[in-house]
Amino acid sequence: MLAGLLLQIVTALRRGDVGLDIVAALSMSAALGFGEPLAGNVVALMYAGGQLLETFAAGRARQEMTALLGRVAHTAMRYAGSSLEEVPIDSILPGDRLLIRHGEVLPVDGTIAGSRAELDMSALTGESIPVHLLPGAEALSGATLTGDPVDLLVTRPAAESTYAGIVRLVEAAQSSKAPMARLADRYAMGFLVLTVLLAGAAWILSQDPLRALAVLVVATPCPLILAVPVAIISGLSRTARMGVLVKHGGMLEALARVDTAILDKTGTLTAGLPAVTAIRAVPGVTEDDVLYRAASLDQASGHSVAAALIQAASARAVILSTPSATVEQAGEGLHGQVDGRLTAVGGLDYVTTQLTAGSFATLAEGLPIAAMTVAVAIEGRPWGLILLQDAIRPDAVASLAALRAAGIRRIVLASGDRADIAQAIGTELGVDTSLGDLKPADKLALLTLEKSATGLVMMVGDGVNDAPALAAADIGVAMGARGAAASSEAAGVVLLVDALAPLAKAIVIAKRTRTIALQSVFVGLGLSLAAMLAAALGYLPPVQGALLQEAIDVAVILNALRALR
């Protein structure tokens, strides 16, 4: 035992790590040197028992994170013509159609086809209530089908799916350095020096080497090397259960002390995808007919606006027809035949060039500032306007209120969108400051400014353009469910679900975890120091001191596990 411990200490010293294992080695060596083998054996047993307790507690704390890894699907049922074949998920490609059976975990991201799906999203969100998705809705890998079998149209290969990304992040978090090692390191050297000085003083003043041995024994192992890792792993596990992956203990500690949040707009406070909010039709034409013409033609386009129109038509149960002779001008619009009639769909400027009579002037009066407008013309005449907006997330207002309740004193909206749009959304959400027209370099400058004016700054974003700011922030938070891979890699915290609400819960958990960790350390150290003084004065023999310290260690570990609740 002692030889292995000495080898471990030498290896750590070569890395520049000075740990409290030195105290354990000193106490065992002193016990052998002073002819007290029983005390040495008790210390060795106590030290091994402490490590076993820590391993058990850490394993208990990691259960939620480990459960994520155990849900990875390896095969799926894929349609091959009129039959089904079981294939490895690595062979699944976008466009494939899969059969998902009752109780199965979705292996890849896709859209629901055929019928409504009932999904258990608890592995991703922590929410136990099943979610019902209509045909055409996006379904994320990692969810479990709790209803009848459904078909899934694959949108991403398995390696790029939401759940695969989560698994990679969890594996990276589990293999990272021991959580909150910085906190233990902060006090370890001081405790080591104090232990050696107190043991030396007891020996010199009493001329009894057993008093020095008793001091060393009582100091082994130590709440610093037991309670802190257990508490922080518990906190990491608890946040993972809430749908928030904190990559390491240092980030959890920072999350507990953050007081300023900078939030990107698109994809963070808003849905990140355009949605139809209103339809204006010329007299004699219905809203559904305008949508029918636009969505039918847009089936030939891969633009995100086209997808929004098609989804809106599906929600209204509008049956579309197949377009023909389509010609698309990228980023502008397209025209072609729908039911034998020339149809044009796109931006106002593009569709206006397709008109041979009339204009959109009357329909376009009083358009909202933040609205995106899609014009529709039939046979060279205005037919209608479809208004789309990147809608504010339904939970955005409540999520920001929860962030303030969790201790965030200042909230800044930072967007690359137009300044007037950012200002309008910021006013509606009640943030402290709203800034628009920001490039990635501008967001970095904003971070620097906020850091100098306040305390720790948290940046929340989801796009590739947010990655530099996420990396530079004290706490970078990525919207991992839909966000770009670059942002998830750069961030220290990843939201595993496409929602902002779990972030406030994670901050509360981080604060509670840090409090429990510090409480365990200071109470444990206080008890240890009291026992060390008693040992130095001769009131606590080595063997009894070792047993007392073991009781203290068990108490602080049990206290640290409270972070799981």
Side-chain angles (χ1 to χ4, degrees):
M1 177 72 182
L2 179 58
L5 182 57
L6 289 173
L7 180 61
Q8 180 180 325
I9 291 171
V10 171
T11 303
L13 289 174
R14 286 177 177 174
R15 295 196 307 265
D17 296 335
V18 179
L20 291 169
D21 291 343
I22 295 175
V23 177
L26 284 174
S27 62
M28 281 186 268
S29 300
L32 294 177
F34 297 148
E36 292 285 338
L38 177 59
N41 288 333
V42 171
V43 171
L45 180 63
M46 179 184 65
Y47 185 77
Q51 289 187 318
L52 184 62
L53 279 172
E54 181 186 5
T55 301
F56 171 78
R60 169 71 179 85
R62 288 184 188 270
Q63 282 182 1
E64 282 76 20
M65 297 178 74
T66 304
L68 287 171
L69 303 180
R71 293 171 49 84
V72 180
H74 299 288
T75 62
M77 300 301 294
R78 181 173 63 187
Y79 285 95
S82 58
S83 61
L84 286 166
E85 57 180 359
E86 187 171 5
V87 297
I89 63 168
D90 292 341
S91 66
I92 297 173
L93 300 173
D96 286 348
R97 190 181 184 98
L98 306 180
L99 172 65
I100 309 298
R101 295 167 292 192
H102 175 80
E104 288 186 337
V105 175
L106 273 61
V108 293
D109 296 342
T111 56
I112 301 299
S115 59
R116 191 176 73 163
E118 181 182 281
L119 298 175
D120 175 4
M121 303 285 288
S122 59
L124 300 174
T125 66
E127 177 55 62
S128 59
I129 299 175
V131 175
H132 295 86
L133 299 182
L134 296 174
E138 182 182 26
L140 299 179
S141 54
T144 302
L145 184 68
T146 55
D148 295 333
V150 296
D151 289 352
L152 184 74
L153 294 178
V154 179
T155 55
R156 296 189 189 100
E160 299 175 13
S161 69
T162 299
Y163 203 69
I166 290 172
V167 167
R168 285 193 294 270
L169 291 171
V170 170
E171 289 173 337
Q174 289 193 328
S175 63
S176 63
K177 187 180 178 181
M180 210 179 252
R182 293 186 304 165
L183 179 62
D185 292 344
R186 231 175 270 160
Y187 304 106
M189 182 59 73
F191 186 80
L192 175 59
V193 171
L194 177 62
T195 300
V196 173
L197 289 177
L198 185 58
W203 187 354
I204 293 171
L205 294 176
S206 68
Q207 297 298 308
D208 183 0
L210 292 184
R211 290 197 185 187
L213 175 59
V215 171
L216 293 174
V217 165
V218 171
T220 309
C222 177
L224 280 173
I225 58 177
L226 295 176
V228 173
V230 170
I232 303 310
I233 291 172
S234 299
L236 294 176
S237 184
R238 190 76 180 90
T239 58
R241 191 192 307 171
M242 293 292 104
V244 182
L245 179 64
V246 182
K247 291 185 179 180
H248 55 81
M251 191 57 64
L252 189 75
E253 183 186 8
L255 196 63
R257 298 184 293 119
V258 65
D259 56 14
T260 298
I262 300 175
L263 295 93
D264 178 51
K265 179 184 73 68
T266 306
T268 303
L269 294 173
T270 64
L273 297 170
V276 174
T277 57
I279 300 176
R280 299 181 179 185
V282 298
V285 176
T286 66
E287 291 184 3
D288 281 358
D289 196 26
V290 173
L291 185 58
Y292 163 74
R293 299 287 171 180
S296 293
L297 184 63
D298 264 344
Q299 291 177 107
S301 173
H303 198 278
S304 60
V305 172
L309 296 181
I310 294 169
Q311 185 172 350
S314 175
R316 292 189 179 209
V318 175
I319 307 301
L320 306 181
S321 62
T322 304
S324 61
T326 58
V327 177
E328 183 170 9
Q329 187 169 335
E332 304 266 340
L334 72 163
H335 61 270
Q337 297 288 326
V338 176
D339 296 338
R341 304 184 70 182
L342 179 62
T343 304
V345 178
L348 268 173
D349 293 341
Y350 171 80
V351 178
T352 297
T353 63
Q354 307 292 315
L355 297 180
T356 57
S359 74
F360 289 101
T362 302
L363 289 177
E365 289 180 357
L367 289 176
I369 292 176
M372 179 188 304
T373 305
V374 174
V376 184
I378 306 293
E379 300 292 357
R381 294 179 176 275
W383 201 254
L385 296 178
I386 301 175
L387 307 184
L388 301 95
Q389 276 186 279
D390 183 9
I392 294 175
R393 290 177 179 270
D395 66 340
V397 173
S399 296
L400 294 186
L403 285 175
R404 292 193 188 277
I408 302 297
R409 294 184 298 174
R410 176 171 167 78
I411 298 178
V412 179
L413 187 154
S415 175
D417 210 340
R418 296 199 327 254
D420 55 347
I421 294 177
Q423 186 63 49
I425 290 177
T427 299
E428 185 173 349
L429 292 175
V431 302
D432 297 295
T433 303
S434 302
L435 302 170
D437 294 317
L438 297 181
K439 297 179 176 61
D442 298 325
K443 291 183 179 180
L444 285 174
L446 174 62
L447 269 170
T448 302
L449 180 63
E450 290 293 338
K451 282 182 179 182
S452 64
T454 60
L456 294 184
V457 177
M458 175 174 67
M459 172 72 194
V460 186
D462 75 324
V464 174
N465 62 329
D466 295 321
L470 292 173
D474 296 309
I475 305 101
V477 181
M479 305 289 289
R482 292 175 183 263
S487 62
S488 293
E489 291 296 327
V493 178
V494 181
L495 300 182
L496 304 181
V497 59
D498 186 34
L500 191 60
L503 181 57
K505 297 178 183 178
I507 293 174
V508 172
I509 291 170
K511 288 179 180 293
R512 182 171 182 269
T513 298
R514 186 171 185 270
T515 298
I516 289 173
L518 291 173
Q519 178 189 84
S520 297
V521 166
F522 292 126
V523 172
L525 283 182
L527 293 174
S528 294
L529 288 172
M532 289 163 63
L533 286 173
L537 295 173
Y539 297 119
L540 202 58
V543 174
Q544 288 86 336
L547 295 175
L548 175 61
Q549 183 60 40
E550 180 72 358
I552 293 172
D553 293 334
V554 170
V556 297
I557 286 177
L558 292 176
N559 182 68
L561 280 173
R562 290 193 302 116
L564 277 174
R565 298 201 303 269

